[in-house]
Amino acid sequence: MNRRLRCYDCGETFEVDERKRCVCGEPLWFDVDTAGFEWPDEDWTAGMWRYVDVLPVSEPIGPTPGTTPLVRAEELEEYAGCRLSLKPEGQNPTGSFKDRGTAVGVSYAAATGYDWIGTVSHGNMALSTSAYAASAGLEAAVFVPADTPPERLELIARHDPRIFRVEGDYGQLYADTLALEHGSDLDVTFVNSDTPLRVAGQKTVGYEILEEFEPDVPDAIVLPVSSGGHASGIWKAVRELEDAGLLEETPRLYFVQAGPCDPIATAYREGRDEVTPIDPGETIAVSIANSDPPSGTRTLRAARETGGAVVSVPDEATREAMDRLATTAGLSVEPSSAVALAGVRQLSESSKLAPDDDVVTVLTGSGYKERYDVDVDSRARTIDLADLEDELAAAVDG
Ligand SMILES: *Cc1c(COP(=O)(O)O)cnc(C)c1O
Ligand SMILES: [Zn+2]
């Protein structure tokens, strides 16, 4: 594969490892020529590596991410207001789509001879990076906000990375780590949320969705957004497959944020071309609470160029969507994922999505990682063993 990096905005190109940001300030991604690309013959057990021809690594390392199922969710269609399919990315090895970008980043770092890999994260990416670094025999340095909950740190610590709990501004931390990589001689490469290697891995979510639909194309893809790395990956997949001549039409891309922390949706609403930092409020969607998103402007562009939008939803709507997914589809997701389904409902209510639109919602992360305030007493009953049959009969005959 061509190993140059390109700016989506001004078109400038750079050598790999030279930099992660363009001279214009916007994030870079890998330049991939997909003319002549065809859907691979490999079976689905190859996971996301079935697309190795369009990835910047050739020797995959670590547990295989990808080829998560695409599930038609007819039971949720009335709630969603459209023809709904779900892509449960919680089924990846460490429970989120982050594994796709991490697998590319770690494989690249190992092949290039780095001993250390670093990342900045609210939790899922630190977990994913620590696990994959362990599998590749690399050291991991993970920087998390000082207030990261202990149960998240405990999951990460199992893989024995160096964990740094950082006091200070998260956006600044993100920028400083990337600057450090190029401004020092340290033997460490960073795969932060929207760096080129990570976006390369995360585009495979888009490849899988579009391959499963072919020869049709979904009308819309909806996902939660924080840094904009995942959104950039999906947009890149659409562009690359369009260049390959494999799409009759292109899906509209809709991105959803949590109301209390929605800098990209705010810029979209206000008709601005650039995303600027906001002063955030508290939200239950902690994995997507980035008030200064490094790929915010790129995400805004992805929404506008595909005919989509960026919206935000209140936490009550997120809670309701999370509950619907768990009780109707049997899928436990974290609030940051449920945000996307709450967004679908809102987009349907405002007629941006039509009842006969085929809509794919990416459920970004598993709900089995931490505690939520679910009311167990209203859903559990304590019984005496001697009453087993009577209690079951009462429930069954209800
Ligand atoms: C990281 C993450 C997101 C947001 O992805 P970005 O690439 O930062 O926009 C959404 N959901 C979950 C569960 C995540 O871990
Ligand atoms: Zn540029």
Side-chain angles (χ1 to χ4, degrees):
M1 193 194 106
N2 181 346
R3 289 283 188 83
R4 286 188 77 78
L5 299 176
R6 179 181 292 275
C7 174
Y8 79 94
D9 192 21
C10 72
E12 196 70 57
T13 65
F14 302 90
E15 291 300 324
V16 173
D17 276 350
E18 199 180 327
R19 43 169 60 240
K20 292 185 167 80
R21 288 284 178 278
C22 181
V23 285
C24 77
E26 280 298 287
L28 299 170
W29 55 24
F30 279 92
D31 202 12
V32 184
D33 180 4
T34 50
F37 172 83
E38 281 172 23
W39 295 119
D41 291 330
E42 253 102 336
D43 69 61
W44 283 73
T45 58
M48 62 170 247
W49 300 115
R50 56 193 273 100
Y51 306 113
V52 73
D53 289 351
V54 290
L55 295 175
V57 284
S58 48
E59 301 262 334
I61 293 181
T64 303
T67 51
T68 55
L70 190 66
V71 189
R72 274 284 275 127
E74 278 169 32
E75 65 284 5
L76 277 167
E77 289 188 352
E78 202 180 306
Y79 174 75
C82 55
R83 289 168 52 83
L84 184 69
S85 300
L86 303 169
K87 179 85 169 153
E89 285 290 295
Q91 295 190 18
N92 279 297
T94 75
S96 80
F97 74 91
K98 297 286 199 311
D99 288 339
R100 297 172 183 263
T102 304
V104 170
V106 166
S107 301
Y108 181 89
T112 313
Y114 282 103
D115 288 329
W116 282 77
I117 188 153
T119 200
V120 173
S121 167
H122 283 103
N124 282 335
M125 196 155 57
L127 173 62
S128 176
T129 302
S130 304
Y132 278 78
S135 80
L138 297 177
E139 299 289 341
V142 302
F143 296 85
V144 299
D147 61 357
T148 303
E151 60 270 26
R152 286 204 157 198
L153 291 180
E154 191 273 329
L155 291 175
I156 299 163
R158 288 177 202 177
H159 301 289
D160 199 24
R162 295 300 168 80
I163 304 176
F164 301 90
R165 283 184 279 203
V166 185
E167 320 239 10
D169 183 71
Y170 188 81
Q172 194 60 44
L173 166 66
Y174 191 96
D176 285 357
T177 52
L178 298 188
L180 192 66
E181 177 170 346
H182 298 289
S184 76
D185 293 331
L186 295 173
D187 177 29
V188 47
T189 185
F190 278 89
V191 275
N192 292 359
S193 312
D194 76 332
T195 48
L197 290 165
R198 195 166 278 288
V199 171
Q202 283 157 196
K203 77 182 180 187
T204 60
V205 177
Y207 270 71
E208 285 175 18
I209 292 171
L210 295 165
E211 184 174 0
E212 285 233 56
F213 257 87
E214 67 97 26
D216 293 331
V217 178
D219 296 290
I221 301 177
V222 184
L223 50 140
V225 57
S226 179
S227 69
H230 185 205
S232 301
I234 304 276
W235 187 32
K236 195 158 199 314
V238 170
R239 292 165 55 128
E240 288 177 7
L241 292 168
E242 206 182 355
D243 290 347
L246 291 173
L247 301 182
E248 293 271 306
E249 286 165 71
T250 54
R252 288 155 9 233
L253 301 183
Y254 292 97
F255 307 115
V256 191
Q257 298 206 280
C261 185
D262 67 344
I264 312 176
T266 301
Y268 180 85
R269 261 194 318 269
E270 294 175 355
R272 284 190 274 122
D273 291 335
E274 264 177 48
V275 176
T276 48
I278 58 153
D279 193 13
E282 294 269 311
T283 170
I284 56 169
V286 286
S287 295
I288 58 168
N290 190 332
S291 59
D292 183 10
S295 275
T297 299
R298 187 160 63 176
T299 300
L300 201 57
R301 186 75 73 78
R304 292 219 175 98
E305 289 203 2
T306 60
V310 192
V311 297
S312 57
V313 293
D315 278 2
E316 308 83 81
T318 299
R319 267 183 221 281
E320 195 194 351
M322 204 167 128
D323 196 56
R324 291 282 177 144
L325 282 163
T327 58
T328 315
L331 290 167
S332 178
V333 301
E334 65 170 281
S336 298
S337 304
V339 157
L341 180 61
V344 169
R345 184 169 161 86
Q346 188 188 307
L347 289 162
S348 295
E349 281 169 354
S350 62
S351 302
K352 289 203 172 76
L353 295 176
D356 61 351
D357 273 350
D358 262 309
V359 178
V360 178
T361 300
V362 184
L363 300 175
T364 46
S366 165
Y368 294 119
K369 286 183 185 167
E370 48 195 64
R371 303 190 56 237
Y372 303 107
D373 52 349
V374 173
D375 178 11
V376 176
D377 285 341
S378 73
R379 290 179 176 177
R381 188 173 160 74
T382 306
I383 63 162
D384 200 295
L385 179 55
D387 302 330
L388 184 63
E389 188 175 349
D390 288 349
E391 288 285 353
L392 182 59
V396 172
D397 299 335

